[in-house]
């Protein structure tokens, strides 16, 4: 377990950054241990693809700079989607361009609250919990296809409710993979994709036979720690074995995800961490980080039109860098065409 040390600024096991350590890719870290930069930098990949790396000096609250809490004049609407024997809770609020935020493995819509609140100032934001997460019900299966069916069900319900425009589909970690699969199977339904530290066609699998015992031990420990979250909006009901099985499956899914990208007919933006496995120069982190970057280089060689931003952080970037991520989303390919807040085209 020595190589799997969590670098967080709190010993509590119930922080989003700590719990996302069990989401794919396999994290050796938690999000609050990221290195910090004081300015934005320009990077260039070997094939000439220009990238942006956004640095962060401090973490700010979603309520800074006079921003208003969702409990003020923003009307939040909550409803549930029933399908496949599970109940999926959905929340919707904000004004402006429709946006759906899909969480990842071991993260909930409550974990993503800060990012959602910042985006609600100029987006009509929909968040939800995947099966076995947050206040969604438990399920008898937690496969990739099962989670994809949760996203399909939510998107189908939004279609029935009627959005004033196709939504931006934002996916974090596993949620990014789900978003790519959804868009490849449903042409024209979304306006664009924003993929946060996921859907990476890495050249090598993360979970090898050599690392399997360490990952198993890590997830067993985290599953024990998560018992304290039971009954809360941040609970995760999956067992350590179910998390392990899903991570192994996602390695297989990502081995073929380039074919999915080829079928997506909408603009794609990627927001990636520079040190997804932590910034330690020891243990497995350097190899995993190199594999992560190599996957994106591989993708951009085939899909050079994909806009890619790199944030100087680890896989918990969605918790530690919510404001920077929101700004990148606002500046996305379709930003110039979005409707003004409170208006309907």
């Amino acid at each position: 377990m020595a190589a799997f040390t969590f670098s967080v600024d709190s010993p509590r096991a119930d922080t989003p950054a700590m719990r996302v350590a069990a989401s794919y890719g396999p994290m050796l870290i938690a999000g609050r241990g990221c290195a910090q930069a004081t300015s934005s930098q320009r990077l260039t990949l070997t094939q000439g693809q220009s990238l942006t790396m956004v640095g962060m000096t401090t973490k700010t609250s979603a309520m800074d700079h006079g921003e208003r809490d969702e409990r003020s004049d923003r009307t939040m609407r909550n409803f549930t989607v029933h399908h496949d024997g599970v109940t999926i809770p959905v929340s919707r609020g904000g004004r402006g361009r429709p946006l759906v935020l899909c969480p990842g493995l071991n993260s909930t819509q409550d974990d993503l609250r800060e990012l959602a609140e910042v985006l609600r100032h100029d987006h009509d934001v929909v968040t939800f919990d995947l099966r076995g997460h947050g206040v969604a019900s438990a399920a008898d299966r937690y496969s990739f296809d099962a989670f994809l069916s949760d996203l399909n069900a939510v998107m189908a319900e939004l279609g029935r409710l009627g959005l004033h425009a196709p939504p931006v589909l934002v996916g974090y970690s596993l949620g990014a993979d789900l978003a790519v699969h959804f868009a490849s199977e449903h042409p024209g339904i979304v306006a664009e994709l924003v993929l946060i530290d996921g859907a990476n066609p890495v050249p090598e699998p993360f979970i090898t036979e050599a690392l399997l015992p360490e990952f198993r031990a890590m997830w067993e420990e985290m599953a024990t720690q998560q018992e304290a979250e039971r009954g809360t909006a941040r609970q995760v009901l999956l067992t350590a074995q179910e998390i392990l099985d899903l991570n192994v499956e996602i390695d297989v899914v990502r081995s073929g995800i380039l074919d999915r990208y080829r079928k997506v007919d909408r603009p794609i933006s990627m927001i990636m961490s520079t040190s997804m496995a932590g910034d330690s120069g020891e243990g497995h982190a350097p190899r995993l980080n190199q594999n992560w970057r190599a996957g994106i280089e591989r993708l951009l060689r085939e899909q050079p039109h994909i806009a890619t931003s790199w944030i100087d952080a680890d896989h918990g970037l969605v918790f530690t860098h919510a404001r920077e991520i929101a700004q990148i989303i606002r500046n996305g390919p379709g930003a110039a065409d979005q409707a003004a807040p409170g208006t309907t085209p």
Side-chain angles (χ1 to χ4, degrees), residues 81-156:
V81 174
H82 303 277
H83 87 107
D84 192 31
V86 297
T87 300
I88 303 298
V90 184
S91 299
R92 181 180 178 186
R95 297 176 300 173
R97 191 180 191 198
L99 181 149
V100 178
L101 180 56
C102 182
L105 177 61
N106 244 42
S107 63
T108 69
Q109 59 177 325
D110 195 67
D111 292 330
L112 301 178
R113 178 181 295 273
E114 182 175 359
L115 177 59
E117 287 182 356
V118 174
L119 287 170
R120 285 189 182 114
H121 291 281
D122 44 22
H123 289 81
D124 177 7
V125 179
V126 176
T127 62
F128 64 97
D129 285 325
L130 294 167
R131 62 181 58 205
H133 291 72
V135 293
S137 62
D140 57 5
R141 62 189 183 105
Y142 294 106
S143 64
F144 183 86
D145 284 344
F147 285 118
L148 181 59
S149 75
D150 293 345
L151 175 59
N152 287 339
V154 170
M155 296 298 290

Side-chain angles (χ1 to χ4, degrees), residues 1-255:
M1 287 290 290
F4 292 83
T5 301
F6 298 116
S7 54
V8 294
D9 58 4
S10 168
R12 289 173 57 85
D14 57 356
T15 62
M18 174 66 84
R19 287 182 293 104
V20 81
S23 64
Y24 191 91
M27 298 308 114
L28 311 189
I29 44 75
R32 298 173 193 264
C34 60
Q36 295 182 341
T38 57
S39 61
S40 296
Q41 305 175 46
R42 179 66 60 178
L43 301 178
T44 303
L45 290 179
T46 54
Q47 74 276 19
Q49 172 68 41
S50 179
L51 306 176
T52 298
M53 182 171 73
V54 181
M56 178 182 178
T57 55
T58 59
K59 182 185 176 186
T60 57
S61 166
M63 298 304 297
D64 288 348
H65 307 298
E67 293 184 6
R68 296 166 295 181
D69 192 310
E70 66 181 56
R71 292 170 295 181
S72 58
D73 67 344
R74 292 196 189 90
T75 301
M76 294 297 298
R77 288 149 287 175
N78 301 296
F79 57 95
T80 56
V81 174
H82 303 277
H83 87 107
D84 192 31
V86 297
T87 300
I88 303 298
V90 184
S91 299
R92 181 180 178 186
R95 297 176 300 173
R97 191 180 191 198
L99 181 149
V100 178
L101 180 56
C102 182
L105 177 61
N106 244 42
S107 63
T108 69
Q109 59 177 325
D110 195 67
D111 292 330
L112 301 178
R113 178 181 295 273
E114 182 175 359
L115 177 59
E117 287 182 356
V118 174
L119 287 170
R120 285 189 182 114
H121 291 281
D122 44 22
H123 289 81
D124 177 7
V125 179
V126 176
T127 62
F128 64 97
D129 285 325
L130 294 167
R131 62 181 58 205
H133 291 72
V135 293
S137 62
D140 57 5
R141 62 189 183 105
Y142 294 106
S143 64
F144 183 86
D145 284 344
F147 285 118
L148 181 59
S149 75
D150 293 345
L151 175 59
N152 287 339
V154 170
M155 296 298 290
E157 181 63 19
L158 293 175
R160 287 190 288 270
L161 293 175
L163 300 175
H164 69 72
V168 179
L169 180 54
V170 181
Y172 166 57
S173 193
L174 167 64
D177 296 81
L178 300 177
V180 170
H181 278 248
F182 176 86
S184 71
E185 295 171 2
H186 301 87
I189 298 298
V190 302
E192 64 182 88
L193 293 181
V194 179
L195 311 175
I196 305 174
D197 228 31
N200 190 339
V202 289
E204 299 177 6
F206 271 83
I207 302 183
T208 63
E209 287 295 325
L211 290 180
L212 190 60
E214 294 177 81
F215 282 123
R216 178 179 287 111
M218 180 182 70
W219 286 318
E220 287 174 351
E221 180 180 350
M222 292 192 66
T224 300
Q225 294 169 340
Q226 288 167 359
E227 290 292 330
E229 296 277 15
R230 290 299 170 92
T232 74
R234 293 186 173 184
Q235 70 176 352
V236 177
L237 301 177
L238 281 72
T239 66
Q241 186 62 49
E242 287 167 335
I243 292 172
L244 177 60
D245 291 344
L246 183 59
N247 276 276
V248 171
E249 183 182 6
I250 293 172
D251 265 339
V252 176
V253 168
R254 287 184 175 171
S255 69

Side-chain angles (χ1 to χ4, degrees), residues 268-297:
I268 301 173
S269 298
M270 304 197 76
I271 305 174
M272 307 299 294
S273 65
T274 58
S275 303
M276 59 81 66
D279 57 7
S280 171
E282 301 177 354
H284 305 295
R287 182 188 69 80
L288 295 176
N289 289 335
Q290 178 55 41
N291 193 39
W292 199 241
R293 180 171 288 275
I296 299 303
E297 293 174 353

